[in-house]
Amino acid sequence: MKDRVRALFSPLLNAMDNGQQPHNYRPSHRKILLVMSLLFFILSAGSVFFAVLAGSPAALIPILFFFGVSLVCAVVGWVGSDAAVARIWGNK
């Protein structure tokens, strides 16, 4: 299943793996990235709830933003390489 997800999100993962810079990776970075994904998904779901209550089409902006960040964090945290995870955190 991970191979299918890697194939589906290969443009994103290839962009994250771009470059031959040395990376600073710790296994805790991947775990924190998955937790961040969950938190942004909860924010997205909460935005959907309040958008339905308000009935405002402008509420689509935070829904899409939070869901997009959640999706990127989940994909990179789940199937991304160590270099991709390190690239999100920065090479410090």
Side-chain angles (χ1 to χ4, degrees):
M1 181 163 174
K2 283 188 177 185
D3 292 332
R4 288 184 184 174
V5 173
R6 280 188 187 122
L8 181 64
F9 292 102
S10 64
L12 172 68
L13 294 172
N14 289 339
M16 291 295 201
D17 286 335
N18 193 8
Q20 297 297 326
Q21 300 175 358
H23 57 274
N24 181 14
Y25 170 78
R26 293 185 210 149
S28 64
H29 290 167
R30 188 176 301 272
K31 292 173 187 168
I32 294 170
L33 198 59
L34 292 172
V35 170
M36 282 179 43
S37 170
L38 178 65
L39 292 175
F40 274 104
F41 182 77
I42 291 170
L43 278 172
S44 176
S47 297
V48 168
F49 175 74
F50 287 113
V52 169
L53 286 180
S56 173
L60 189 62
I61 295 169
I63 293 169
L64 292 176
F65 175 76
F66 290 138
F67 184 74
V69 171
S70 173
L71 184 66
V72 168
C73 289
V75 167
V76 173
W78 187 37
V79 296
S81 66
D82 294 347
V85 173
R87 185 167 180 149
I88 286 185
W89 288 108
N91 292 328
K92 295 180 182 176

